[in-house]
């Protein structure tokens, strides 16, 4: 390795460390920190973020990147170093267009907006929240003005989207979401009023201590190893990791609905497997920074829904849930569990939505945030438009803004352009699942025995070990032989729902 | 506030944040981190330490300090800003004399030395450890060569000592320790073979869950508030804090000797009260960086020994320990508790030593580390000299190097000059205790009722709120009206032991 490459790698490794430290500060804040530590923590987090930004955007980083690019010009363009330099140059170009003052104001407004959101949501007071949202939208536009020359963007929203999934474009998302919506709306209409006898059983009490045992069994099957993983309780579940050998997930338990914790844990552990599965030689490089939220979400949803909520895995899961749950749950069988956790029930809250209706919550947010950024929708009109579109897409009535436009944290903290990655991840999970099933013909039998190693290894080989070497679109092309597509997910879903409801779809 | 002062304060606040983050990384590593996270954590910690050092020793910091000193020249020399600038200039001068390469090698050797020590101690293999110790001593000498011009040092050891307690000098310590040793040796000889009937009771089993309840009661009395404190289990107890409102202590429990946890917690909580009690306006300034290890240790030992092991507090503690311990402990009375936890029993291990013999363990280490640094003692001869001096000072026979020269982590990680602060802290605690008792005439009655607020408030006013504004010697002069002295501690100890043993001393 040349001295230049070595210096560049060391510099980027330090930036990786700073990002890991920032993650740890957040994890500690949400799981361990005494309440009054918040003010000091905010300062410490801001300091680390500022230093990471300063070091990344410094002239020295730019010079090392330019020198490294020159050295690698005639080498193998697919070498790790070549990929690292290309990817980092693009990130550097983008980051250096944002003045320090704007970066600081984005961070400050995110923090202030989130605080305001917590209070306004508790009071169901959209008026109190609106100015913060307005400010975040204005800042997003300012941000776009800075970065718009750093990519081939057709719109302001393109530039935002690119920050959450490199190379993703609004037109692509629009085409996919339009096809997805057209497939889901009639499916939901067909199924929403059908009853599924016996599914009310899952609301039976299940002691939290026993749910923890069930969760531990599932995690052990997924590959959770106490030497490099941990799980904690939080109000809002999440996954984070510091390097490849320190993966932390969190969850919350509902005494009267055990799937909340169980599938929540499978979701977060799906994120965790991706982080833990990056090739060790990529540690502390930008390729271990898993920056495609589409790929990240494809893993969480694949494990949560395609594995966790499958009929096959229900065969393994149901008797264990029955034994640990006891009481009314002692009679739980695989069929009932499978039907219950796949029931189609349009509802108000995204994070509680079933697999079928979930994507429509995302389509709605994708549309609204574009209209907000482009000035076609005023913040003041948002609650009304939200209610109308919820009625139109899901046929549900929004009772309060707290359960409507204020239900999610994202916009309050300036995350605009983030939402579509959830549904795009779902589509990618459908494509990967289709491919994985084709290559692992015994998969159902394995899942029914609780053997998850085959699926994990296939994903490790085809996705995890690569880190962020490929964009979501490149990875799908490589593994599935085409662009991101709707059909595999919809086909999978129809087949599952046919099984759940016993009707041809 | 001038622009210069504001800029300097912001820069120093960021360095404070980086140090707090480094502390958090350490706390997490010892209490939460999955085992395999160690390699990544070492890198992250090194990165934060490197950045903190770079920023502190940068030309920009130097220029801000010089400009600030100029602006403050004709102002009040006791203003916060004036104290901050004076103190930081001295620290800056010292830190900038150490080349980055040496700083990095000190950190690397500390880490490698500690690893080697863990392994060598487990195998009782001093030969395996000796080269690491030798290297640390050589590095300490190199370090001294760098910093020797930054203070009025008479010896290499002076320069080391100054790093753990500003202004402390070898000659001062020698005079104090000589007087202390001369007072303790005959006291120990007089008491070591006296029996104290009933004291074996404390070895009765005490369920850990119930010990936790007892600890929680004591902590609540000391001022532990879950909004800003937490307590965790670790193998090696410690205290750390991030700002003034996030204080974390750790402890370990011995099922068959509850004082281990109980007084260990009072010790660590004593450190914590000091951190939590710094005046809020000093937050994120160098005055909130409590860098006098003598003052820090004076607080831990005061709470552990002078409060915790007092006859008065035993009145409150004994019935609670009896009720929670149950079994044989149900009969525990205040007198038995008081006598048991103050019994004089010369032993091999410093951290298990009683209050009376403890200081002799320190005197021995102080002598040996001076001789090592000055080349008057060879590393190879250390085990033999250690054994001889343990026999001479404490009358105990060293059975193995693991329980002898390798019992402490300090030298393995390059902490040379640190040990004396433990016994100096003990002396200062004696002086503060004398003063506090004089000003709080009802103290014993309060302690017997478990009321610790009076002592805490006095210490808060006279010590904690000041942060690191004064050196240990300045603070003692200010509060107690004289230099650090031996007599108050020895007088206190004799009075206590007279009560314990029922003999005139």
């Amino acid at each position: 390795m040349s001295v230049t490459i070595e210096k560049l790698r060391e510099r980027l490794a330090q930036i990786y460390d700073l990002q890991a430290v920032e993650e740890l500060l957040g994890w500690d804040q949400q799981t361990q920190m005494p309440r009054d530590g918040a003010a000091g923590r905010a300062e410490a987090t801001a300091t680390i973020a500022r230093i990471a930004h300063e070091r990344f955007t410094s002239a020295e980083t730019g010079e090392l990147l330019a020198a490294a690019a020159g050295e690698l010009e005639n080498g193998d363009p697919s070498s790790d170093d070549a990929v690292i330099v290309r990817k980092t140059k693009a990130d550097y170009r983008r980051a250096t267009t944002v003045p320090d003052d704007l970066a600081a104001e984005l961070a400050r407004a995110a923090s202030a907006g989130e605080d305001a959101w917590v209070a306004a949501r508790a009071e169901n007071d959209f008026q109190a929240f609106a100015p913060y949202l307005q400010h975040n939208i204005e800042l997003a536009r300012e941000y776009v003005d800075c970065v718009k020359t750093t990519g081939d963007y057709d719109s302001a929203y393109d530039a935002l989207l690119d920050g959450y999934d490199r190379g993703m474009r609004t037109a692509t998302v629009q085409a996919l979401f339009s096809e997805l919506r057209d497939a889901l709306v009639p499916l939901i209409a067909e199924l929403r009023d059908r009853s599924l006898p016996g599914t009310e059983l899952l609301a039976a009490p299940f002691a939290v201590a026993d749910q923890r045992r069930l969760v531990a069994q599932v995690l052990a099957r997924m590959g959770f190893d106490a030497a490099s993983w941990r799980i904690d309780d939080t109000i809002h579940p999440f996954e984070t990791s510091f390097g490849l050998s320190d993966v932390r997930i969190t969850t919350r338990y509902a005494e009267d609905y055990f799937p909340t914790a169980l599938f929540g844990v499978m979701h977060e552990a799906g994120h965790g497997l991706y982080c833990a599965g990056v090739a060790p030689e990529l540690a502390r490089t930008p390729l271990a920074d898993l920056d495609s939220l589409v790929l990240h979400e494809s893993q969480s949803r694949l494990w949560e829904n395609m594995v966790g909520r499958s009929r096959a895995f229900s065969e393994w899961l149901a008797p264990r849930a029955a034994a640990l749950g006891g009481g009314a749950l002692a009679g739980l069988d695989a069929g009932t569990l499978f039907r219950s956790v796949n029931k189609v029930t349009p509802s108000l809250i995204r994070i509680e939505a079933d697999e079928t209706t979930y994507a429509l919550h995302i389509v709605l947010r994708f549309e609204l945030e574009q209209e907000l950024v482009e000035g076609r929708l005023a913040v003041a009109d948002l609650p009304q438009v939200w209610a109308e579109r919820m009625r139109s897409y899901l046929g549900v009535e929004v009772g309060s803004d707290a359960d409507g436009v204020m239900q999610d944290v994202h916009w309050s903290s300036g995350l605009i352009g983030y939402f579509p990655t959830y549904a795009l991840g779902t589509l990618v999970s459908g494509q990967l699942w289709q491919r994985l099933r084709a290559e692992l013909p015994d998969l159902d039998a394995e899942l029914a025995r609780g053997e998850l190693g085959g699926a994990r290894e296939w994903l490790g080989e085809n996705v995890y070990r690569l880190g962020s070497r490929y964009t979501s679109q490149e990875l799908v092309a490589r593994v599935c032989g085409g662009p991101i597509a709707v059909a595999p997910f919809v086909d999978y879903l129809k087949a599952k729902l046919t099984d759940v409801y016993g009707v041809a779809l």
Side-chain angles (χ1 to χ4, degrees), chain A:
Chain A
M1 202 184 284
S2 81
V3 174
T4 303
I5 302 283
E6 208 171 318
K7 273 191 177 170
L8 176 64
R9 278 191 170 241
E10 179 52 28
R11 191 159 186 89
L12 298 178
Q14 289 183 20
I15 289 159
Y16 180 93
D17 290 337
L18 287 165
Q19 289 164 341
V21 165
E22 207 180 330
E23 290 286 319
L24 180 70
L25 291 170
W27 175 85
D28 181 80
Q29 180 161 12
Q30 290 188 65
T31 64
Q32 312 291 338
M33 189 185 77
R35 187 195 63 202
D36 292 351
R41 181 56 49 88
E43 300 286 4
T45 304
T47 292
I48 296 295
R50 188 179 302 125
I51 292 172
H53 183 255
E54 277 174 23
R55 287 178 91 86
F56 183 62
T57 58
S58 70
E60 193 180 337
T61 305
E63 286 153 17
L64 281 170
L65 276 168
E71 282 187 14
L72 295 167
E73 208 168 16
N74 298 316
D76 174 5
S78 69
S79 73
D80 283 354
D81 285 326
V83 177
I84 286 169
V85 168
R86 266 202 312 278
K87 180 172 181 302
T88 308
K89 274 184 79 173
D91 289 345
Y92 178 79
R93 201 173 153 210
R94 188 176 172 95
T96 48
T97 61
V98 180
D100 289 349
D101 284 351
L102 178 57
E105 179 54 19
L106 282 162
R108 200 207 58 74
S111 174
E114 194 169 332
D115 283 349
W117 168 74
V118 169
R121 187 188 184 209
E123 300 289 323
N124 189 34
D125 183 357
F126 182 75
Q127 293 310 315
F129 174 54
Y132 292 90
L133 177 54
Q134 182 67 44
H135 185 52
N136 281 346
I137 291 165
E138 284 158 14
L139 286 176
R141 289 187 194 130
E142 273 187 63
Y143 175 81
V144 168
D145 271 343
C146 297
V147 303
K148 66 185 176 192
T149 58
T150 66
D152 54 335
Y153 306 133
D154 288 332
S155 66
Y157 196 79
D158 264 4
L160 295 171
L161 194 54
D162 203 46
Y164 301 101
D165 199 69
R166 267 183 301 142
M168 188 55 67
R169 293 293 177 266
T170 313
T172 308
V173 182
Q174 268 165 339
L176 290 168
F177 281 12
S178 167
E179 184 183 346
L180 181 61
R181 189 185 51 204
D182 291 349
L184 293 178
V185 168
L187 200 59
I188 294 165
E190 167 74 19
L191 298 173
R192 60 179 301 156
D193 296 322
R194 291 186 184 260
S195 67
L196 282 175
T199 56
E200 65 287 352
L201 177 62
L202 263 66
F206 194 142
V208 168
D210 294 317
Q211 288 192 43
R212 289 186 197 279
R213 291 189 187 96
L214 182 62
V215 159
Q217 288 187 28
V218 171
L219 283 175
R221 296 275 161 169
M222 286 183 73
F224 182 102
D225 172 357
S228 53
W229 291 63
R230 57 176 289 147
I231 177 167
D232 294 87
D233 294 355
T234 43
I235 296 170
H236 302 291
F238 66 95
E239 180 271 346
T240 186
S241 72
F242 324 115
L244 323 179
S245 303
D246 186 350
V247 175
R248 306 186 185 192
I249 61 175
T250 72
T251 192
R252 65 194 166 107
Y253 293 87
E255 178 104 28
D256 57 359
Y257 191 66
F258 75 88
T260 297
L262 181 68
F263 295 107
V265 160
M266 291 191 77
H267 180 101
E268 302 308 338
H271 284 304
L273 286 173
Y274 185 17
C275 295
V278 172
E281 63 269 25
L282 302 182
R284 293 179 81 225
T285 76
L287 301 188
D289 173 17
L290 303 176
D291 59 359
S292 163
L293 298 194
V294 171
L295 288 179
H296 234 310
E297 193 71 5
S298 77
Q299 293 316 300
S300 56
R301 300 195 78 76
L302 185 148
W303 283 99
E304 175 191 355
N305 289 325
M306 284 148 194
V307 174
R309 290 188 166 95
S310 67
R311 180 178 273 279
F313 190 62
S314 300
E315 299 286 343
W316 180 85
L317 191 55
R320 282 155 184 86
L324 282 166
L329 286 168
L332 183 68
D333 60 56
T336 304
L337 175 62
F338 171 62
R339 282 191 299 277
S340 304
V341 299
N342 288 296
K343 196 168 185 299
V344 178
T345 312
S347 65
L348 288 170
I349 308 296
R350 176 182 64 84
I351 60 168
E352 294 169 6
D354 59 78
E355 188 180 2
T356 307
T357 58
Y358 183 88
L360 291 186
H361 290 267
I362 299 305
V363 170
L364 172 147
R365 285 157 176 77
F366 167 66
E367 293 171 354
L368 295 181
E369 64 184 13
Q370 277 185 79
E371 294 166 24
L372 287 167
V373 168
E374 291 163 11
R376 291 185 280 125
L377 172 62
V379 166
D381 297 331
L382 190 55
Q384 190 198 329
V385 177
W386 182 284
E388 284 167 11
R389 239 169 276 189
M390 282 298 283
R391 195 177 302 126
S392 148
Y393 291 176
L394 285 163
V396 294
E397 290 301 322
V398 176
S400 77
D401 292 333
D403 289 340
V405 67
M406 286 198 293
Q407 68 183 264
D408 294 307
V409 67
H410 302 63
W411 291 343
S412 80
S413 56
L415 300 174
I416 300 172
Y418 185 123
F419 276 123
T421 65
Y422 289 133
L424 292 168
T426 301
L427 297 183
V428 171
S429 72
Q431 291 174 276
L432 291 172
W433 188 243
Q434 185 185 54
R435 188 82 214 133
L436 184 159
R437 291 184 71 82
E439 295 193 15
L440 298 178
D442 294 331
L443 184 68
D444 279 345
E446 290 177 15
L447 297 185
R449 291 194 299 268
E451 293 168 15
L452 307 181
R456 185 176 64 241
E457 278 158 31
W458 189 91
L459 290 164
E461 188 57 33
N462 288 283
V463 183
Y464 304 163
R465 71 178 178 82
L466 302 167
S468 56
R469 168 182 283 266
Y470 301 109
T471 67
S472 61
Q473 295 173 91
E474 288 166 354
L475 187 113
V476 168
R478 183 184 149 92
V479 178
C480 309
I484 295 179
V486 172
F489 172 68
V490 170
D491 291 348
Y492 143 84
L493 193 63
K494 281 187 178 170
K496 187 196 253 192
L497 293 172
T498 296
D499 189 6
V500 167
Y501 284 92
V503 293
L505 293 166

